[in-house]
Amino acid sequence: MNIVENRSTFCCGFCLLDEMEILKKIEMKYVRWIILFIVFIGLVLYVTNEETKEYDKQNQALKNGVVFEGLITGIKKSNNHSFGVLTLSVFKSNFKEFSEELKEGMYPYQIKDKKAEIYLPIYMERQIGDHVQLISDRQIIYYKGKNTEDKGEVYIITDPSDIDFVKKNSIFNNH
């Protein structure tokens, strides 16, 4: 019998007890981290759910039947996450004029006579002359350019810097 075998036989009761205590401490350490992780995930889900409810509540105002389409005549972009103003020459609309105001935030568009503005992030390269169709009830905007065709989302504008940008760059200047 070598020394290692002899030692494990001799220490059997004490070594196993120490090893069991160490394993319990390690397990408790992991259990604490797992519990903290679950609590964190729960908080994230709760906050996300509340923000989604608020977003949906704000955007109910967009279910107002506004539909229009036209050609882009102007593009102004801010330095705030590509937020911008698209100016359109409107050739089809179910509203001659739309410039309502909200208690919180602002509509992502205005229409007056044969002109319109759309306020939203401009991620893709839009060009003057691109065709745009906005359907407010569905919160969607369709783009058709020379080389591109895609769609995006419209939503109530609530970011103060975006609202300020619209106020400074709107052709309607009634904000």
Side-chain angles (χ1 to χ4, degrees), residues 22-84:
I22 291 170
L23 286 174
K24 284 182 183 178
K25 286 182 181 179
I26 291 172
E27 286 176 10
M28 287 305 292
K29 184 178 181 181
Y30 286 125
V31 168
R32 279 189 228 138
W33 283 110
I34 290 170
I35 290 171
L36 282 172
F37 180 72
I38 290 171
V39 168
F40 174 74
I41 295 298
L43 285 171
V44 168
L45 291 174
Y46 174 77
V47 168
T48 303
N49 188 34
E50 290 300 310
E51 288 175 354
T52 301
K53 285 178 186 175
E54 183 65 25
Y55 179 81
D56 290 343
K57 182 180 167 187
Q58 286 175 337
N59 286 313
Q60 285 298 315
L62 292 175
K63 297 197 183 304
N64 56 15
V66 173
V67 177
F68 63 91
E69 54 186 298
L71 299 176
I72 297 176
T73 59
I75 302 170
K76 295 178 185 171
K77 284 174 97 172
S78 74
N79 293 323
N80 185 24
H81 302 286
S82 297
F83 184 82

Side-chain angles (χ1 to χ4, degrees), residues 1-16:
M1 187 179 333
N2 66 29
I3 296 174
V4 175
E5 289 174 8
N6 200 6
R7 181 174 173 195
S8 74
T9 305
F10 177 73
C11 291
C12 185
F14 295 112
C15 292
L16 288 177

